[in-house]
């Protein structure tokens, strides 16, 4: 008789468990906007959730320790004039968060460590360059203050939020709605998925497509794609028969996937969350009540199913804690924040171990909060690996800090001397603009207008071709 050989992996027995009821966040009116973002973002200090609000867009920020029932008068962040579609914490400052909205703007906020007494209405900076709703934002993984935004105008814009400047605009790359955008480990490349069924790997500084493929998945529903730590691309999508699929691709041969698995026939888009330290991908479908997780290895068959966390309630969205926010004493390797209709439920993924000692094999050094590059260095062509930290002593979040001062950095201006107004969240980051700042803003706006005029001219040319019957 032949014996079946079981694959060796320290993650084979990872299991998920919801926290007790008193550790959940209750009475939160989660947004009902129909948009395939996660609606939730989390870091070692705060939990932020996009919520329902009348007459504009809002999201709620809660200290992680503030569990239980949320006061119905809890202050919101309410600067947008239309629904908020995406939010993202800055990886290099736990008190800075960006938000994108249907009102075509991106706003960057400084969140105080204390809970404010009134709504936050004044962002540190408002980034205006899109002509339609902005549905995607993503911070650069290694460069300070670099933020990417993608709008329904098919534009990708890279910003230096420290100066409010538009660094780069990619206007001729996508011909339809952008579904998702992901950075590689060093932030030198982007992967994007689009309604035109193209998946593109883009060098943003050269403003050119490095490689692209049509129909990564045959189905008509949206595709998601993310970079692995080794440069491969992991994607989720649908087959021609509307079965949900996952696939792994090697950019050296982008024609065929090196792994392809079909899962089920549910119609929810699968959102992939990736932990490069353990090489595990977690798949959470909107409207699903489960989280599937897979280990990615360097040898065939490359993608190994581990397990599924199942519950009764469907998820409206999902937040994913950075590794430095986990409890290493309990062998926790991932923590999700599952959004229900009226609450947020943390789900802890654990590797069972008998020892109480620090588990070196589970916790290699992981990206810390310090950026490896300044925005200007990255724009000039420099790349760098993330600066790593050890979790042996457990990560302790630092207190509210202003970003390191750089030239014309409006996030870091010191507050005026005198009493603070209790209702302002951002007094510390605002001051009367100088003449240079006003001139710089005028220059930035002119660049935006020029980009939009170029886009209009391109569309008019396409329209002429259609009317002349040459398209």
């Amino acid at each position: 008789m032949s014996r079946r050989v079981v694959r060796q992996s320290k993650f084979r027995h990872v299991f998920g468990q919801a926290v007790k009821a008193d550790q959940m966040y209750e009475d939160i009116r989660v947004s009902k906007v129909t948009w395939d973002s996660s609606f939730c973002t989390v870091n070692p200090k705060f939990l932020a959730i996009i919520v329902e609000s009348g007459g504009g867009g809002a999201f709620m920020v809660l200290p992680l320790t503030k569990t239980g029932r949320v006061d119905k008068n809890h202050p919101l962040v309410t600067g947008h004039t239309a629904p908020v579609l995406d939010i993202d914490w800055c990886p290099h400052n736990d008190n800075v968060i960006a938000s994108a909205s249907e009102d075509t703007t991106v706003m960057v906020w400084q969140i105080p460590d204390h809970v404010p007494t009134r709504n936050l209405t004044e962002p540190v900076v408002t980034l205006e360059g899109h002509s339609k709703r902005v549905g995607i934002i993503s911070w650069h993984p290694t460069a300070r203050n670099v933020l990417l935004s993608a709008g329904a105008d098919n534009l990708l814009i890279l910003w230096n939020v420290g100066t409010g400047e538009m660094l780069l605009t990619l206007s001729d790359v996508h011909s339809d709605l952008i579904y998702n955008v992901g950075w590689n480990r060093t932030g030198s490349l982007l992967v994007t998925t689009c309604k035109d069924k193209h998946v593109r790997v883009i060098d943003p500084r050269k403003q050119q497509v490095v490689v692209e493929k049509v129909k990564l998945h045959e189905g008509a529903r949206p595709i998601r794609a993310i970079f692995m730590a080794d440069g491969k691309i992991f994607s989720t999508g649908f087959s021609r028969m509307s079965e949900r699929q996952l696939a792994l691709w090697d950019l050296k041969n982008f024609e065929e996937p090196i792994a392809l698995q079909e899962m089920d026939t549910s119609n929810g888009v699968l959102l992939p969350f990736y932990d490069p330290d353990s090489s595990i991908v977690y798949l959470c479908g909107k409207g699903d009540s489960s989280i599937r997780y897979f280990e990615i290895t360097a040898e065939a068959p490359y993608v190994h199913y581990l397990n599924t966390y199942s519950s009764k309630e469907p998820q409206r969205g999902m937040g994913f804690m950075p590794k430095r926010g986990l409890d290493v004493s309990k062998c926790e390797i991932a923590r999700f924040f599952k959004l229900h209709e009226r609450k947020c439920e943390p789900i802890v993924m654990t590797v069972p171990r008998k020892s109480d000692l620090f588990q070196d094999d589970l916790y290699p050094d992981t990206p810390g909060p310090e950026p490896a590059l300044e925005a200007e260095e990255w724009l000039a062509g420099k790349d760098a690996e993330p600066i790593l930290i050890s979790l042996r002593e457990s990560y302790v979040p630092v207190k509210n800090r202003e970003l390191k001062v750089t030239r014309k950095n409006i996030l870091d201006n010191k507050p005026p001397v005198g009493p603070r107004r209790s209702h302002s969240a951002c007094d510390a980051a605002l001051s009367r603009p100088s003449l240079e700042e006003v001139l710089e803003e005028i220059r930035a706006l002119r660049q935006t207008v020029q980009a939009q005029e170029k886009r209009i001219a391109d569309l008019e040319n396409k329209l002429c071709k259609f009317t002349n019957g040459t398209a």
Side-chain angles (χ1 to χ4, degrees):
M1 287 177 64
S2 62
R3 292 173 60 190
R4 186 181 169 204
V5 178
V6 177
R7 187 181 69 91
Q8 292 294 313
S9 169
K10 53 181 171 271
F11 301 114
R12 274 183 55 220
H13 302 293
V14 171
F15 69 97
Q17 191 167 25
V19 300
K20 294 175 181 173
D22 62 349
Q23 293 175 282
M24 298 183 191
Y25 306 84
E26 308 255 11
D27 254 13
I28 299 168
R29 295 191 307 143
V30 177
S31 173
K32 293 185 174 70
V33 172
T34 53
W35 181 250
D36 283 326
S37 79
S38 59
F39 285 11
C40 178
T41 182
V42 63
N43 68 24
K45 290 171 83 168
F46 298 107
L47 166 67
I49 300 169
I50 302 174
V51 294
E52 288 284 287
S53 73
F59 61 96
M60 175 184 287
V61 176
L62 295 167
L64 273 192
T65 53
K66 195 174 177 60
T67 54
R69 193 171 297 280
V70 177
D71 190 313
K72 66 180 180 184
N73 296 317
H74 186 88
L76 303 176
V77 184
T78 59
H80 289 284
T81 58
V84 176
L85 299 178
D86 199 13
I87 48 178
D88 196 24
W89 287 108
C90 176
H92 308 127
N93 188 329
D94 287 341
N95 292 79
V96 171
I97 187 170
S99 58
S101 168
E102 279 189 14
D103 67 9
T104 76
T105 67
V106 174
M107 294 181 177
V108 181
W109 308 83
Q110 186 106 26
I111 305 297
D113 280 335
H114 64 275
V115 177
T117 55
R118 300 190 189 182
N119 287 354
L120 306 188
T121 58
E122 292 293 327
V124 175
V125 63
T126 300
L127 306 172
E128 297 176 308
H130 290 281
S131 59
K132 293 184 179 179
R133 72 177 188 268
V134 186
I136 299 167
I137 44 175
S138 180
W139 293 90
H140 193 283
T142 60
R144 188 196 308 271
N145 290 353
V146 176
L147 178 67
L148 175 147
S149 64
D153 51 6
N154 310 337
L155 287 183
L156 278 180
I157 301 179
L158 286 130
W159 308 87
N160 181 347
V161 302
T163 60
E165 293 173 298
M166 194 184 292
L167 295 176
L168 298 163
T169 303
L170 283 72
S171 57
D172 299 323
V173 177
H174 300 91
S175 61
D176 212 329
L177 181 68
I178 300 164
Y179 284 143
N180 94 294
V181 180
W183 295 97
N184 68 350
R185 184 173 172 83
T186 61
S188 61
L189 295 173
L190 295 166
V191 60
T192 68
T193 62
C194 181
K195 196 175 181 180
D196 64 9
K197 295 186 169 59
H198 287 245
V199 173
R200 299 170 174 88
V201 175
I202 300 166
D203 184 329
R205 288 168 297 194
K206 292 180 180 176
Q207 301 189 43
Q208 61 184 222
V209 177
V210 178
V211 62
E212 70 180 297
K213 178 170 172 58
V214 187
K215 291 191 176 180
L216 223 61
H217 298 269
E218 293 286 335
R221 302 271 297 139
I223 295 171
R224 287 285 186 278
I226 55 173
F227 270 107
M228 301 285 99
D230 62 0
K232 293 186 180 75
I233 285 175
F234 182 93
S235 65
T236 65
F238 294 80
S239 71
R240 198 171 288 166
M241 304 300 291
S242 294
E243 292 172 298
R244 291 199 292 194
Q245 296 177 322
L246 63 83
L248 190 66
W249 306 81
D250 192 333
L251 291 184
K252 294 169 188 164
N253 179 14
F254 212 16
E255 288 306 307
E256 294 293 329
I258 58 175
L260 178 68
Q261 293 186 23
E262 293 186 343
M263 289 186 291
D264 56 31
T265 53
S266 178
N267 62 1
V269 175
L270 285 167
L271 305 179
F273 296 92
Y274 174 53
D275 173 19
D277 297 342
S278 61
S279 198
I280 294 178
V281 173
Y282 302 85
L283 299 182
C284 309
K286 273 205 161 182
D288 288 9
S289 54
S290 62
I291 302 171
R292 294 179 178 87
Y293 37 109
F294 301 80
E295 186 177 359
I296 313 298
T297 60
E299 302 84 30
Y302 303 106
V303 180
H304 307 270
Y305 170 75
L306 290 174
N307 211 336
T308 299
Y309 166 81
S310 296
S311 60
K312 293 178 182 175
E313 298 289 326
Q315 53 229 17
R316 296 280 292 277
M318 195 70 78
F320 187 54
M321 175 68 79
K323 205 62 172 282
R324 58 195 170 90
L326 302 180
D327 186 345
V328 298
S329 68
K330 294 179 180 173
C331 296
E332 181 184 358
I333 63 162
R335 192 187 313 156
F336 290 91
F337 289 75
K338 174 181 172 180
L339 299 186
H340 298 247
E341 198 171 330
R342 298 280 301 190
K343 71 178 179 183
C344 176
E345 175 188 35
I347 296 166
V348 176
M349 299 286 179
T350 307
V351 176
R353 292 281 170 94
K354 291 178 180 177
S355 172
D356 292 332
L357 299 175
F358 178 75
Q359 306 292 311
D360 294 88
D361 61 327
L362 296 184
Y363 301 107
D365 289 355
T366 196
E370 290 302 317
L373 297 169
E374 297 297 334
E376 295 78 10
E377 292 178 298
W378 178 78
L379 189 62
K382 193 173 178 183
D383 291 320
E385 289 283 324
I387 296 175
L388 305 181
I389 59 170
S390 170
L391 298 178
R392 179 175 289 276
E393 305 301 325
S394 294
Y395 174 75
V396 179
V398 295
K399 290 197 171 178
N400 189 358
R401 58 173 184 160
E402 303 298 332
L403 302 186
K404 188 177 176 182
V405 175
T406 54
R407 187 175 63 88
K408 295 185 303 235
N409 192 333
I410 50 185
L411 276 176
D412 294 331
N413 290 338
K414 297 294 182 237
V417 177
R420 292 177 59 88
R421 299 192 305 276
S422 63
H423 66 274
S424 174
C426 303
D427 287 352
L430 293 171
S431 66
R432 186 183 297 277
S434 66
L435 176 61
E436 286 97 356
E437 287 173 340
V438 172
L439 291 172
E440 192 58 48
E441 187 168 355
I442 290 170
R443 284 191 209 103
L445 287 170
R446 281 184 177 145
Q447 285 179 352
T448 304
V449 171
Q450 287 168 358
Q452 299 295 344
E453 286 175 344
K454 183 175 182 296
R455 179 72 178 152
I456 289 167
D458 290 343
L459 290 171
E460 285 175 341
N461 286 336
K462 288 179 181 177
L463 188 63
C464 287
K465 289 178 182 177
F466 275 114
T467 53
N468 294 334
T470 59

